[in-house]
Amino acid sequence: MSVRYLTAKLAQQIDEELMSATGAFSLDQLMELAGLACAQTLATVYSKEKYPRVLVCCGPGNQGGDGLVAARHLGMFGYKPTIWMPKPGSKDIYKRLKTQCDNMKIQTLAPADDTSTLRDVLARSDVILDAIFGFSFKPPVRAPFDTALPLISDSGLPIVSVDIPSGWDVEKGNAEGVGLNPEVLISLTAPKEGVKTFAGRHFLGGRFVPKSMEKFDLNLPEYLGFDQIVELPRAGTQKL
């Protein structure tokens, strides 16, 4: 059977159950596992020998937290990540993840109202990890990201998006035409409805999903060996 693609409501329900007394996961745990899967996906497709300079673009929510974890792991893998987050998250967990990156000597760009800083760092980067918006995003794209997404898109750099490409609706996809168009997508827990037609390389990172979640009929594929990710068939090669 094909893997199940989630609506926004079901994705939220599964997240809540994972962090409930029944699921017993903490947000810290889920972010750590998700961020590790994101870092492994980028490293699988883009070697540090050819693509050492990674621009990690983080939003202010949990998606950005996944990006901060990924940046730390990428640093440990031997990459040279730089963090761009013009609107840092205010939660304690976000601040702690940022401190962990600081302790790894990972550069974070100072927030700026203009786009010159982003232009400069894009010119010095080899690949982008897009961890700006998550599955709760609803258009339109607001400042400061409304001017940043076109710059990222026009950079010509390969993009790896976390869970859903930034600017896409979780169920309607890139219907507004304002979202990023990544070469690689790493879906977390299970893929979302809006990426059914995604044509690039598509990975899944959700090896933490317990057997108790079988009631949702996710039909998740097997993870091989000790990998934290598994590649999904490209759009059009399986019945969705």
Side-chain angles (χ1 to χ4, degrees), residues 3-6 33-35 37-38 41 63 66 135 160-165 168 170 184-196 198 201-209 220-221 223 228-232:
V3 63
R4 184 175 187 180
Y5 283 67
L6 306 182
L33 292 165
C38 295
T41 297
Q63 190 92 336
D66 295 341
F135 65 76
V160 178
S161 285
V162 176
D163 209 23
I164 190 159
W168 290 34
V170 68
V184 179
L185 174 67
I186 168 66
S187 290
L188 300 174
T189 308
K192 312 307 182 288
E193 285 276 358
V195 301
K196 273 189 173 182
F198 176 71
R201 294 187 68 178
H202 190 177
F203 292 82
L204 178 66
R207 201 162 191 174
F208 50 82
V209 177
L220 301 178
Y223 292 81
Q228 297 300 305
I229 58 174
V230 59
E231 189 163 6
L232 299 175

mmCIF file of all heavy atoms in Angstrom, residues 3-6 33-35 37-38 41 63 66 135 160-165 168 170 184-196 198 201-209 220-221 223 228-232:
data_model
loop_
_atom_site.group_PDB
_atom_site.id
_atom_site.type_symbol
_atom_site.label_atom_id
_atom_site.label_comp_id
_atom_site.label_asym_id
_atom_site.label_seq_id
_atom_site.Cartn_x
_atom_site.Cartn_y
_atom_site.Cartn_z
ATOM 1 N N VAL A 3 2.170 5.061 0.849
ATOM 2 C CA VAL A 3 2.261 5.874 2.048
ATOM 3 C C VAL A 3 1.114 6.887 2.063
ATOM 4 O O VAL A 3 0.690 7.386 1.012
ATOM 5 C CB VAL A 3 3.630 6.585 2.107
ATOM 6 C CG1 VAL A 3 3.807 7.546 0.950
ATOM 7 C CG2 VAL A 3 3.815 7.305 3.428
ATOM 8 N N ARG A 4 0.593 7.178 3.228
ATOM 9 C CA ARG A 4 -0.526 8.107 3.348
ATOM 10 C C ARG A 4 -0.027 9.542 3.397
ATOM 11 O O ARG A 4 0.942 9.848 4.101
ATOM 12 C CB ARG A 4 -1.330 7.801 4.619
ATOM 13 C CG ARG A 4 -2.574 8.673 4.781
ATOM 14 C CD ARG A 4 -3.395 8.258 5.986
ATOM 15 N NE ARG A 4 -4.654 8.996 6.038
ATOM 16 C CZ ARG A 4 -5.570 8.831 6.987
ATOM 17 N NH1 ARG A 4 -5.349 7.950 7.964
ATOM 18 N NH2 ARG A 4 -6.682 9.540 6.962
ATOM 19 N N TYR A 5 -0.688 10.415 2.650
ATOM 20 C CA TYR A 5 -0.383 11.842 2.679
ATOM 21 C C TYR A 5 -1.377 12.533 3.613
ATOM 22 O O TYR A 5 -2.583 12.301 3.530
ATOM 23 C CB TYR A 5 -0.458 12.434 1.267
ATOM 24 C CG TYR A 5 0.750 12.107 0.423
ATOM 25 C CD1 TYR A 5 1.012 10.794 0.025
ATOM 26 C CD2 TYR A 5 1.644 13.095 0.032
ATOM 27 C CE1 TYR A 5 2.134 10.488 -0.736
ATOM 28 C CE2 TYR A 5 2.771 12.797 -0.720
ATOM 29 C CZ TYR A 5 3.006 11.491 -1.103
ATOM 30 O OH TYR A 5 4.117 11.186 -1.846
ATOM 31 N N LEU A 6 -0.870 13.392 4.490
ATOM 32 C CA LEU A 6 -1.658 13.937 5.581
ATOM 33 C C LEU A 6 -2.271 15.302 5.269
ATOM 34 O O LEU A 6 -1.636 16.154 4.661
ATOM 35 C CB LEU A 6 -0.786 14.089 6.833
ATOM 36 C CG LEU A 6 -0.029 12.850 7.318
ATOM 37 C CD1 LEU A 6 0.743 13.197 8.594
ATOM 38 C CD2 LEU A 6 -0.953 11.679 7.545
ATOM 39 N N LEU A 33 15.325 14.639 16.582
ATOM 40 C CA LEU A 33 15.238 13.563 15.604
ATOM 41 C C LEU A 33 14.919 14.109 14.211
ATOM 42 O O LEU A 33 15.472 13.649 13.209
ATOM 43 C CB LEU A 33 14.176 12.549 16.043
ATOM 44 C CG LEU A 33 14.546 11.746 17.300
ATOM 45 C CD1 LEU A 33 13.321 11.053 17.872
ATOM 46 C CD2 LEU A 33 15.633 10.731 16.968
ATOM 47 N N ALA A 34 14.030 15.100 14.147
ATOM 48 C CA ALA A 34 13.688 15.705 12.862
ATOM 49 C C ALA A 34 14.888 16.426 12.257
ATOM 50 O O ALA A 34 15.188 16.277 11.067
ATOM 51 C CB ALA A 34 12.518 16.674 13.027
ATOM 52 N N GLY A 35 15.580 17.213 13.075
ATOM 53 C CA GLY A 35 16.740 17.949 12.579
ATOM 54 C C GLY A 35 17.851 17.030 12.109
ATOM 55 O O GLY A 35 18.525 17.306 11.112
ATOM 56 N N ALA A 37 17.394 14.041 10.847
ATOM 57 C CA ALA A 37 16.944 13.516 9.559
ATOM 58 C C ALA A 37 17.150 14.532 8.441
ATOM 59 O O ALA A 37 17.544 14.171 7.321
ATOM 60 C CB ALA A 37 15.468 13.109 9.648
ATOM 61 N N CYS A 38 16.918 15.805 8.732
ATOM 62 C CA CYS A 38 17.125 16.854 7.729
ATOM 63 C C CYS A 38 18.597 16.957 7.340
ATOM 64 O O CYS A 38 18.934 17.072 6.157
ATOM 65 C CB CYS A 38 16.631 18.199 8.266
ATOM 66 S SG CYS A 38 14.859 18.285 8.561
ATOM 67 N N THR A 41 19.584 14.010 5.220
ATOM 68 C CA THR A 41 19.067 14.123 3.850
ATOM 69 C C THR A 41 19.965 15.014 3.006
ATOM 70 O O THR A 41 20.346 14.656 1.882
ATOM 71 C CB THR A 41 17.634 14.694 3.864
ATOM 72 O OG1 THR A 41 16.781 13.782 4.556
ATOM 73 C CG2 THR A 41 17.115 14.897 2.448
ATOM 74 N N GLN A 63 9.486 24.781 12.857
ATOM 75 C CA GLN A 63 10.243 24.471 11.639
ATOM 76 C C GLN A 63 11.651 25.060 11.724
ATOM 77 O O GLN A 63 12.633 24.407 11.365
ATOM 78 C CB GLN A 63 9.508 25.052 10.420
ATOM 79 C CG GLN A 63 10.051 24.602 9.082
ATOM 80 C CD GLN A 63 9.335 23.365 8.590
ATOM 81 O OE1 GLN A 63 8.775 22.608 9.375
ATOM 82 N NE2 GLN A 63 9.354 23.149 7.309
ATOM 83 N N ASP A 66 13.797 22.933 13.940
ATOM 84 C CA ASP A 66 14.355 21.789 13.208
ATOM 85 C C ASP A 66 15.591 22.218 12.419
ATOM 86 O O ASP A 66 16.580 21.485 12.339
ATOM 87 C CB ASP A 66 13.316 21.221 12.234
ATOM 88 C CG ASP A 66 12.101 20.616 12.936
ATOM 89 O OD1 ASP A 66 12.195 20.307 14.142
ATOM 90 O OD2 ASP A 66 11.065 20.457 12.264
ATOM 91 N N PHE A 135 3.952 23.121 8.305
ATOM 92 C CA PHE A 135 2.665 22.736 7.719
ATOM 93 C C PHE A 135 1.504 23.601 8.205
ATOM 94 O O PHE A 135 0.405 23.519 7.683
ATOM 95 C CB PHE A 135 2.373 21.249 7.953
ATOM 96 C CG PHE A 135 2.176 20.838 9.387
ATOM 97 C CD1 PHE A 135 0.991 21.132 10.051
ATOM 98 C CD2 PHE A 135 3.149 20.117 10.064
ATOM 99 C CE1 PHE A 135 0.792 20.735 11.364
ATOM 100 C CE2 PHE A 135 2.959 19.713 11.376
ATOM 101 C CZ PHE A 135 1.766 20.027 12.028
ATOM 102 N N VAL A 160 17.030 22.304 -0.267
ATOM 103 C CA VAL A 160 16.446 21.164 0.439
ATOM 104 C C VAL A 160 15.403 21.731 1.398
ATOM 105 O O VAL A 160 15.743 22.507 2.293
ATOM 106 C CB VAL A 160 17.507 20.376 1.235
ATOM 107 C CG1 VAL A 160 16.857 19.221 1.998
ATOM 108 C CG2 VAL A 160 18.603 19.860 0.313
ATOM 109 N N SER A 161 14.132 21.384 1.200
ATOM 110 C CA SER A 161 13.067 21.918 2.046
ATOM 111 C C SER A 161 12.669 20.923 3.123
ATOM 112 O O SER A 161 12.638 19.710 2.893
ATOM 113 C CB SER A 161 11.834 22.282 1.213
ATOM 114 O OG SER A 161 12.042 23.472 0.486
ATOM 115 N N VAL A 162 12.341 21.469 4.292
ATOM 116 C CA VAL A 162 11.953 20.659 5.442
ATOM 117 C C VAL A 162 10.432 20.554 5.517
ATOM 118 O O VAL A 162 9.740 21.574 5.631
ATOM 119 C CB VAL A 162 12.502 21.266 6.748
ATOM 120 C CG1 VAL A 162 12.011 20.475 7.953
ATOM 121 C CG2 VAL A 162 14.028 21.309 6.711
ATOM 122 N N ASP A 163 9.912 19.358 5.432
ATOM 123 C CA ASP A 163 8.499 18.991 5.611
ATOM 124 C C ASP A 163 7.590 19.464 4.483
ATOM 125 O O ASP A 163 6.818 18.677 3.944
ATOM 126 C CB ASP A 163 7.986 19.473 6.967
ATOM 127 C CG ASP A 163 6.872 18.585 7.489
ATOM 128 O OD1 ASP A 163 6.798 17.415 7.064
ATOM 129 O OD2 ASP A 163 6.087 19.030 8.335
ATOM 130 N N ILE A 164 7.637 20.744 4.156
ATOM 131 C CA ILE A 164 6.898 21.271 3.008
ATOM 132 C C ILE A 164 7.634 22.520 2.536
ATOM 133 O O ILE A 164 8.127 23.291 3.366
ATOM 134 C CB ILE A 164 5.426 21.578 3.374
ATOM 135 C CG1 ILE A 164 4.603 21.884 2.135
ATOM 136 C CG2 ILE A 164 5.331 22.695 4.397
ATOM 137 C CD1 ILE A 164 3.123 21.712 2.332
ATOM 138 N N PRO A 165 7.796 22.717 1.233
ATOM 139 C CA PRO A 165 8.534 23.896 0.773
ATOM 140 C C PRO A 165 7.906 25.180 1.284
ATOM 141 O O PRO A 165 6.676 25.321 1.299
ATOM 142 C CB PRO A 165 8.433 23.797 -0.761
ATOM 143 C CG PRO A 165 8.212 22.334 -1.029
ATOM 144 C CD PRO A 165 7.352 21.854 0.116
ATOM 145 N N TRP A 168 4.358 27.079 0.412
ATOM 146 C CA TRP A 168 3.334 26.137 -0.053
ATOM 147 C C TRP A 168 2.268 25.955 1.027
ATOM 148 O O TRP A 168 2.557 25.944 2.219
ATOM 149 C CB TRP A 168 3.936 24.771 -0.361
ATOM 150 C CG TRP A 168 4.824 24.712 -1.569
ATOM 151 C CD1 TRP A 168 5.652 25.679 -2.038
ATOM 152 C CD2 TRP A 168 4.983 23.584 -2.448
ATOM 153 N NE1 TRP A 168 6.335 25.232 -3.148
ATOM 154 C CE2 TRP A 168 5.948 23.955 -3.424
ATOM 155 C CE3 TRP A 168 4.434 22.307 -2.486
ATOM 156 C CZ2 TRP A 168 6.346 23.090 -4.438
ATOM 157 C CZ3 TRP A 168 4.832 21.444 -3.499
ATOM 158 C CH2 TRP A 168 5.775 21.832 -4.472
ATOM 159 N N VAL A 170 -0.226 23.488 2.961
ATOM 160 C CA VAL A 170 -0.036 22.090 3.326
ATOM 161 C C VAL A 170 -0.944 21.152 2.535
ATOM 162 O O VAL A 170 -0.599 19.985 2.316
ATOM 163 C CB VAL A 170 -0.237 21.892 4.843
ATOM 164 C CG1 VAL A 170 -1.680 22.122 5.242
ATOM 165 C CG2 VAL A 170 0.216 20.512 5.269
ATOM 166 N N VAL A 184 15.011 18.939 -3.465
ATOM 167 C CA VAL A 184 14.906 17.856 -2.493
ATOM 168 C C VAL A 184 13.931 18.262 -1.398
ATOM 169 O O VAL A 184 13.909 19.419 -0.962
ATOM 170 C CB VAL A 184 16.290 17.528 -1.874
ATOM 171 C CG1 VAL A 184 16.173 16.406 -0.847
ATOM 172 C CG2 VAL A 184 17.292 17.158 -2.957
ATOM 173 N N LEU A 185 13.127 17.296 -0.952
ATOM 174 C CA LEU A 185 12.175 17.519 0.137
ATOM 175 C C LEU A 185 12.355 16.419 1.173
ATOM 176 O O LEU A 185 12.469 15.247 0.823
ATOM 177 C CB LEU A 185 10.743 17.495 -0.405
ATOM 178 C CG LEU A 185 9.603 17.572 0.620
ATOM 179 C CD1 LEU A 185 9.602 18.934 1.305
ATOM 180 C CD2 LEU A 185 8.258 17.317 -0.063
ATOM 181 N N ILE A 186 12.397 16.799 2.446
ATOM 182 C CA ILE A 186 12.424 15.834 3.536
ATOM 183 C C ILE A 186 11.133 15.995 4.334
ATOM 184 O O ILE A 186 10.981 16.969 5.085
ATOM 185 C CB ILE A 186 13.688 15.978 4.427
ATOM 186 C CG1 ILE A 186 13.570 15.178 5.732
ATOM 187 C CG2 ILE A 186 14.024 17.433 4.724
ATOM 188 C CD1 ILE A 186 13.534 13.694 5.565
ATOM 189 N N SER A 187 10.188 15.088 4.115
ATOM 190 C CA SER A 187 8.940 15.110 4.878
ATOM 191 C C SER A 187 9.179 14.503 6.254
ATOM 192 O O SER A 187 9.951 13.557 6.389
ATOM 193 C CB SER A 187 7.854 14.306 4.144
ATOM 194 O OG SER A 187 7.430 14.967 2.977
ATOM 195 N N LEU A 188 8.509 15.039 7.253
ATOM 196 C CA LEU A 188 8.685 14.576 8.623
ATOM 197 C C LEU A 188 7.426 13.847 9.101
ATOM 198 O O LEU A 188 6.311 14.307 8.853
ATOM 199 C CB LEU A 188 8.998 15.750 9.543
ATOM 200 C CG LEU A 188 10.273 16.530 9.179
ATOM 201 C CD1 LEU A 188 10.419 17.769 10.055
ATOM 202 C CD2 LEU A 188 11.507 15.634 9.303
ATOM 203 N N THR A 189 7.604 12.737 9.744
ATOM 204 C CA THR A 189 6.545 11.840 10.226
ATOM 205 C C THR A 189 5.857 11.145 9.056
ATOM 206 O O THR A 189 5.918 9.926 8.922
ATOM 207 C CB THR A 189 5.506 12.576 11.092
ATOM 208 O OG1 THR A 189 6.169 13.294 12.126
ATOM 209 C CG2 THR A 189 4.518 11.593 11.691
ATOM 210 N N ALA A 190 5.196 11.911 8.209
ATOM 211 C CA ALA A 190 4.567 11.398 6.989
ATOM 212 C C ALA A 190 4.405 12.574 6.034
ATOM 213 O O ALA A 190 4.306 13.722 6.469
ATOM 214 C CB ALA A 190 3.210 10.757 7.292
ATOM 215 N N PRO A 191 4.378 12.334 4.709
ATOM 216 C CA PRO A 191 4.247 13.448 3.764
ATOM 217 C C PRO A 191 2.876 14.094 3.838
ATOM 218 O O PRO A 191 1.907 13.487 4.279
ATOM 219 C CB PRO A 191 4.492 12.784 2.404
ATOM 220 C CG PRO A 191 4.172 11.345 2.612
ATOM 221 C CD PRO A 191 4.533 11.042 4.030
ATOM 222 N N LYS A 192 2.811 15.353 3.399
ATOM 223 C CA LYS A 192 1.590 16.135 3.475
ATOM 224 C C LYS A 192 0.892 16.201 2.111
ATOM 225 O O LYS A 192 1.524 16.072 1.069
ATOM 226 C CB LYS A 192 1.913 17.553 3.963
ATOM 227 C CG LYS A 192 2.834 17.609 5.207
ATOM 228 C CD LYS A 192 2.333 16.766 6.358
ATOM 229 C CE LYS A 192 3.210 16.850 7.603
ATOM 230 N NZ LYS A 192 4.506 16.143 7.462
ATOM 231 N N GLU A 193 -0.413 16.432 2.141
ATOM 232 C CA GLU A 193 -1.227 16.435 0.919
ATOM 233 C C GLU A 193 -0.672 17.353 -0.163
ATOM 234 O O GLU A 193 -0.703 17.028 -1.355
ATOM 235 C CB GLU A 193 -2.658 16.877 1.258
ATOM 236 C CG GLU A 193 -3.493 15.835 1.968
ATOM 237 C CD GLU A 193 -4.138 14.851 1.014
ATOM 238 O OE1 GLU A 193 -3.965 15.005 -0.196
ATOM 239 O OE2 GLU A 193 -4.817 13.934 1.497
ATOM 240 N N GLY A 194 -0.153 18.509 0.246
ATOM 241 C CA GLY A 194 0.272 19.508 -0.722
ATOM 242 C C GLY A 194 1.473 19.131 -1.554
ATOM 243 O O GLY A 194 1.784 19.816 -2.529
ATOM 244 N N VAL A 195 2.187 18.052 -1.197
ATOM 245 C CA VAL A 195 3.397 17.681 -1.946
ATOM 246 C C VAL A 195 3.204 16.410 -2.759
ATOM 247 O O VAL A 195 4.170 15.794 -3.203
ATOM 248 C CB VAL A 195 4.621 17.543 -1.010
ATOM 249 C CG1 VAL A 195 4.866 18.850 -0.280
ATOM 250 C CG2 VAL A 195 4.454 16.393 -0.024
ATOM 251 N N LYS A 196 1.957 16.004 -2.987
ATOM 252 C CA LYS A 196 1.706 14.787 -3.766
ATOM 253 C C LYS A 196 2.326 14.849 -5.154
ATOM 254 O O LYS A 196 2.738 13.828 -5.701
ATOM 255 C CB LYS A 196 0.199 14.556 -3.895
ATOM 256 C CG LYS A 196 -0.405 13.776 -2.753
ATOM 257 C CD LYS A 196 -1.839 13.399 -3.065
ATOM 258 C CE LYS A 196 -2.411 12.474 -1.996
ATOM 259 N NZ LYS A 196 -3.799 12.059 -2.324
ATOM 260 N N PHE A 198 5.006 16.711 -5.924
ATOM 261 C CA PHE A 198 6.401 17.143 -5.892
ATOM 262 C C PHE A 198 7.247 16.203 -6.738
ATOM 263 O O PHE A 198 7.240 14.986 -6.546
ATOM 264 C CB PHE A 198 6.907 17.156 -4.446
ATOM 265 C CG PHE A 198 8.368 17.506 -4.331
ATOM 266 C CD1 PHE A 198 8.807 18.797 -4.579
ATOM 267 C CD2 PHE A 198 9.305 16.531 -4.005
ATOM 268 C CE1 PHE A 198 10.157 19.119 -4.493
ATOM 269 C CE2 PHE A 198 10.652 16.843 -3.906
ATOM 270 C CZ PHE A 198 11.084 18.145 -4.158
ATOM 271 N N ARG A 201 13.538 14.814 -5.598
ATOM 272 C CA ARG A 201 13.851 13.689 -4.707
ATOM 273 C C ARG A 201 13.159 13.922 -3.376
ATOM 274 O O ARG A 201 13.261 14.993 -2.790
ATOM 275 C CB ARG A 201 15.359 13.530 -4.527
ATOM 276 C CG ARG A 201 16.076 13.117 -5.793
ATOM 277 C CD ARG A 201 17.548 12.809 -5.543
ATOM 278 N NE ARG A 201 17.726 11.601 -4.724
ATOM 279 C CZ ARG A 201 18.917 11.095 -4.394
ATOM 280 N NH1 ARG A 201 20.025 11.706 -4.792
ATOM 281 N NH2 ARG A 201 18.997 9.992 -3.669
ATOM 282 N N HIS A 202 12.467 12.907 -2.914
ATOM 283 C CA HIS A 202 11.600 13.044 -1.750
ATOM 284 C C HIS A 202 11.990 12.004 -0.706
ATOM 285 O O HIS A 202 11.941 10.800 -0.962
ATOM 286 C CB HIS A 202 10.140 12.852 -2.176
ATOM 287 C CG HIS A 202 9.138 13.205 -1.125
ATOM 288 N ND1 HIS A 202 7.782 13.143 -1.351
ATOM 289 C CD2 HIS A 202 9.280 13.636 0.166
ATOM 290 C CE1 HIS A 202 7.140 13.513 -0.253
ATOM 291 N NE2 HIS A 202 8.031 13.807 0.674
ATOM 292 N N PHE A 203 12.389 12.491 0.467
ATOM 293 C CA PHE A 203 12.785 11.614 1.560
ATOM 294 C C PHE A 203 11.781 11.730 2.701
ATOM 295 O O PHE A 203 11.069 12.732 2.825
ATOM 296 C CB PHE A 203 14.179 11.982 2.068
ATOM 297 C CG PHE A 203 15.280 11.709 1.084
ATOM 298 C CD1 PHE A 203 15.560 12.619 0.067
ATOM 299 C CD2 PHE A 203 16.039 10.554 1.170
ATOM 300 C CE1 PHE A 203 16.577 12.371 -0.847
ATOM 301 C CE2 PHE A 203 17.066 10.300 0.263
ATOM 302 C CZ PHE A 203 17.328 11.208 -0.750
ATOM 303 N N LEU A 204 11.741 10.707 3.528
ATOM 304 C CA LEU A 204 10.901 10.699 4.715
ATOM 305 C C LEU A 204 11.785 10.540 5.937
ATOM 306 O O LEU A 204 12.685 9.695 5.951
ATOM 307 C CB LEU A 204 9.902 9.549 4.646
ATOM 308 C CG LEU A 204 8.969 9.377 5.854
ATOM 309 C CD1 LEU A 204 8.023 10.568 5.967
ATOM 310 C CD2 LEU A 204 8.168 8.089 5.727
ATOM 311 N N GLY A 205 11.549 11.376 6.958
ATOM 312 C CA GLY A 205 12.253 11.256 8.222
ATOM 313 C C GLY A 205 11.237 11.138 9.341
ATOM 314 O O GLY A 205 10.624 12.121 9.722
ATOM 315 N N GLY A 206 11.038 9.938 9.817
ATOM 316 C CA GLY A 206 10.051 9.728 10.866
ATOM 317 C C GLY A 206 10.250 8.402 11.556
ATOM 318 O O GLY A 206 9.291 7.728 11.923
ATOM 319 N N ARG A 207 11.504 8.037 11.719
ATOM 320 C CA ARG A 207 11.789 6.740 12.310
ATOM 321 C C ARG A 207 11.385 6.676 13.780
ATOM 322 O O ARG A 207 11.377 5.616 14.395
ATOM 323 C CB ARG A 207 13.281 6.402 12.158
ATOM 324 C CG ARG A 207 13.541 4.912 12.287
ATOM 325 C CD ARG A 207 14.864 4.476 11.736
ATOM 326 N NE ARG A 207 14.905 3.024 11.679
ATOM 327 C CZ ARG A 207 15.886 2.323 11.128
ATOM 328 N NH1 ARG A 207 16.906 2.941 10.577
ATOM 329 N NH2 ARG A 207 15.850 1.010 11.118
ATOM 330 N N PHE A 208 10.994 7.808 14.325
ATOM 331 C CA PHE A 208 10.541 7.873 15.714
ATOM 332 C C PHE A 208 9.066 7.522 15.866
ATOM 333 O O PHE A 208 8.558 7.412 16.983
ATOM 334 C CB PHE A 208 10.770 9.284 16.272
ATOM 335 C CG PHE A 208 10.232 10.375 15.377
ATOM 336 C CD1 PHE A 208 8.901 10.729 15.403
ATOM 337 C CD2 PHE A 208 11.077 11.043 14.490
ATOM 338 C CE1 PHE A 208 8.404 11.725 14.579
ATOM 339 C CE2 PHE A 208 10.595 12.046 13.666
ATOM 340 C CZ PHE A 208 9.251 12.386 13.705
ATOM 341 N N VAL A 209 8.329 7.358 14.754
ATOM 342 C CA VAL A 209 6.883 7.092 14.839
ATOM 343 C C VAL A 209 6.651 5.715 15.468
ATOM 344 O O VAL A 209 7.087 4.703 14.924
ATOM 345 C CB VAL A 209 6.228 7.153 13.447
ATOM 346 C CG1 VAL A 209 4.745 6.812 13.541
ATOM 347 C CG2 VAL A 209 6.407 8.544 12.843
ATOM 348 N N LEU A 220 3.852 3.590 6.395
ATOM 349 C CA LEU A 220 5.205 4.109 6.251
ATOM 350 C C LEU A 220 6.146 3.023 5.733
ATOM 351 O O LEU A 220 6.021 1.852 6.092
ATOM 352 C CB LEU A 220 5.720 4.635 7.596
ATOM 353 C CG LEU A 220 4.894 5.759 8.224
ATOM 354 C CD1 LEU A 220 5.487 6.143 9.573
ATOM 355 C CD2 LEU A 220 4.835 6.964 7.298
ATOM 356 N N PRO A 221 7.112 3.397 4.895
ATOM 357 C CA PRO A 221 8.084 2.419 4.396
ATOM 358 C C PRO A 221 9.083 2.032 5.476
ATOM 359 O O PRO A 221 9.186 2.699 6.511
ATOM 360 C CB PRO A 221 8.778 3.177 3.260
ATOM 361 C CG PRO A 221 8.679 4.611 3.667
ATOM 362 C CD PRO A 221 7.353 4.742 4.372
ATOM 363 N N TYR A 223 12.736 1.668 7.163
ATOM 364 C CA TYR A 223 14.026 2.347 7.164
ATOM 365 C C TYR A 223 15.106 1.278 7.196
ATOM 366 O O TYR A 223 15.012 0.306 7.953
ATOM 367 C CB TYR A 223 14.158 3.264 8.386
ATOM 368 C CG TYR A 223 13.232 4.454 8.361
ATOM 369 C CD1 TYR A 223 11.896 4.330 8.742
ATOM 370 C CD2 TYR A 223 13.683 5.705 7.964
ATOM 371 C CE1 TYR A 223 11.045 5.421 8.730
ATOM 372 C CE2 TYR A 223 12.838 6.798 7.952
ATOM 373 C CZ TYR A 223 11.519 6.656 8.336
ATOM 374 O OH TYR A 223 10.666 7.746 8.316
ATOM 375 N N GLN A 228 18.273 7.305 9.297
ATOM 376 C CA GLN A 228 17.158 8.065 9.848
ATOM 377 C C GLN A 228 16.192 8.530 8.774
ATOM 378 O O GLN A 228 15.179 9.166 9.074
ATOM 379 C CB GLN A 228 17.699 9.286 10.612
ATOM 380 C CG GLN A 228 18.566 8.924 11.804
ATOM 381 C CD GLN A 228 17.826 8.090 12.818
ATOM 382 O OE1 GLN A 228 16.770 8.488 13.300
ATOM 383 N NE2 GLN A 228 18.362 6.924 13.150
ATOM 384 N N ILE A 229 16.497 8.223 7.512
ATOM 385 C CA ILE A 229 15.673 8.657 6.387
ATOM 386 C C ILE A 229 15.472 7.499 5.418
ATOM 387 O O ILE A 229 16.245 6.531 5.414
ATOM 388 C CB ILE A 229 16.327 9.844 5.635
ATOM 389 C CG1 ILE A 229 17.728 9.465 5.123
ATOM 390 C CG2 ILE A 229 16.383 11.081 6.529
ATOM 391 C CD1 ILE A 229 18.387 10.513 4.254
ATOM 392 N N VAL A 230 14.435 7.614 4.607
ATOM 393 C CA VAL A 230 14.194 6.652 3.535
ATOM 394 C C VAL A 230 13.667 7.439 2.340
ATOM 395 O O VAL A 230 12.878 8.376 2.500
ATOM 396 C CB VAL A 230 13.189 5.560 3.976
ATOM 397 C CG1 VAL A 230 11.847 6.148 4.388
ATOM 398 C CG2 VAL A 230 13.005 4.523 2.873
ATOM 399 N N GLU A 231 14.129 7.098 1.143
ATOM 400 C CA GLU A 231 13.686 7.829 -0.041
ATOM 401 C C GLU A 231 12.369 7.268 -0.546
ATOM 402 O O GLU A 231 12.195 6.053 -0.652
ATOM 403 C CB GLU A 231 14.744 7.782 -1.144
ATOM 404 C CG GLU A 231 14.417 8.706 -2.307
ATOM 405 C CD GLU A 231 15.607 9.010 -3.214
ATOM 406 O OE1 GLU A 231 16.677 8.398 -3.006
ATOM 407 O OE2 GLU A 231 15.462 9.863 -4.112
ATOM 408 N N LEU A 232 11.437 8.164 -0.869
ATOM 409 C CA LEU A 232 10.133 7.798 -1.397
ATOM 410 C C LEU A 232 10.166 7.806 -2.920
ATOM 411 O O LEU A 232 10.974 8.521 -3.522
ATOM 412 C CB LEU A 232 9.063 8.767 -0.894
ATOM 413 C CG LEU A 232 8.860 8.843 0.621
ATOM 414 C CD1 LEU A 232 7.838 9.941 0.954
ATOM 415 C CD2 LEU A 232 8.423 7.514 1.180
#
